[in-house]
Amino acid sequence: MRITARSRLREFWESKAEFADAKGPLEAWLAEARKATWKTPAAAKAQFRSASILKSSRIVFNIAGNKYRLVVHVRYDLGIVFVRFAGTHAEYDRIDVETV
């Protein structure tokens, strides 16, 4: 998959010293997602079993043992993953995951 807005991941783990522990898990997710060839939401779920498949081609990934959340929008037909949000659970609870 081609991943867009990777800078959002880096901006998150660099935004506060307390989020630095997200760097390794986010980089690991990125490496796995780049190798993927998801054609359906089920394919993404098969690779990342703890992921939550949402409407509007959105997926929520649990990062760092569920300490953080990552929201992406996937264009399965084009093989593109758009990073929409990376943050803590508290930040995730304040967003509308369908429109972020």
Side-chain angles (χ1 to χ4, degrees):
M1 303 298 286
R2 195 174 88 201
I3 316 297
T4 66
R6 291 184 304 269
S7 61
R8 283 193 176 132
L9 302 179
R10 186 177 57 257
E11 288 168 3
F12 172 67
W13 76 61
E14 290 178 349
S15 66
K16 292 184 180 178
E18 65 190 272
F19 300 152
D21 64 335
K23 180 180 180 182
L26 285 169
E27 287 178 332
W29 175 87
L30 185 59
E32 288 299 311
R34 281 182 174 153
K35 290 187 260 180
T37 55
W38 306 326
K39 298 294 182 193
T40 65
K45 179 75 172 173
Q47 184 173 2
F48 292 95
R49 298 208 183 272
S50 65
S52 298
I53 307 298
L54 306 176
K55 298 176 189 175
S56 306
S57 299
R58 303 285 173 123
I59 305 175
V60 179
F61 295 95
N62 298 319
I63 303 296
N66 206 20
K67 186 173 181 181
Y68 304 110
R69 292 285 177 100
L70 172 64
V71 178
V72 301
H73 172 81
V74 182
R75 283 290 309 266
Y76 298 99
D77 58 331
L78 300 175
I80 301 173
V81 175
F82 301 90
V83 175
R84 307 302 299 167
F85 169 84
T88 65
H89 274 271
E91 292 168 332
Y92 173 82
D93 289 341
R94 292 191 301 266
I95 66 168
D96 179 356
V97 73
E98 299 292 331
T99 61
V100 68

